[in-house]
Amino acid sequence: GSSLTAATAGIEGTFTLEARDAFSNVAKYLGGYDGVFGATLKGPTPVAATMTDVQDSTYIANFYVTVSGTYTLTVAVINGNSRTQTLVINPAVASGAHTTLDVTLAVTAGTLSTFTLS
């Protein structure tokens, strides 16, 4: 749906698809139709979503993206129809293990200098 527009890098994203017929009625679950939907994200790094058939005409898509940026989400149906939407993957919270700090200080010899990092 149109509400799926943003997610966060490193946090699994999920959305639900509901199978409908040509008249927008919820399609009756008939079973045995694996691969009815497929979803991919194309952007800084390509990602395929895993699809789970809930067996009630709904499917759950899960995706895990670790590179932030703008992606195109494409959901395809087995009959060849597809829909695309822009999805922004936001950066995760800063990680101390992956953050670098470059500092150049000008100090005078013989004087007390302080530096605070918070």
Side-chain angles (χ1 to χ4, degrees):
S2 61
S3 62
L4 181 64
T5 57
T8 302
I11 297 175
E12 184 177 56
T14 301
F15 60 93
T16 302
L17 301 166
E18 184 174 60
R20 293 186 172 262
D21 67 12
F23 306 101
S24 294
N25 299 302
V26 174
K28 180 181 176 185
Y29 177 73
L30 299 174
Y33 291 98
D34 292 338
V36 171
F37 292 106
T40 58
L41 289 100
K42 292 184 180 176
T45 183
V47 176
T50 58
M51 305 297 287
T52 303
D53 183 347
V54 183
Q55 301 183 352
D56 67 354
S57 299
T58 60
Y59 297 78
I60 297 174
N62 295 302
F63 59 92
Y64 186 77
V65 181
T66 58
V67 178
S68 64
T70 301
Y71 288 75
T72 299
L73 169 63
T74 302
V75 177
V77 185
I78 200 168
N79 69 4
N81 291 331
S82 65
R83 297 226 174 154
T84 61
Q85 182 164 325
T86 299
L87 178 64
V88 175
I89 304 296
N90 295 307
V93 175
S95 164
H98 296 96
T99 301
T100 59
L101 177 64
D102 293 319
V103 179
T104 302
L105 296 175
V107 296
T108 303
T111 62
L112 178 64
S113 299
T114 60
F115 177 77
T116 304
L117 177 65
S118 56

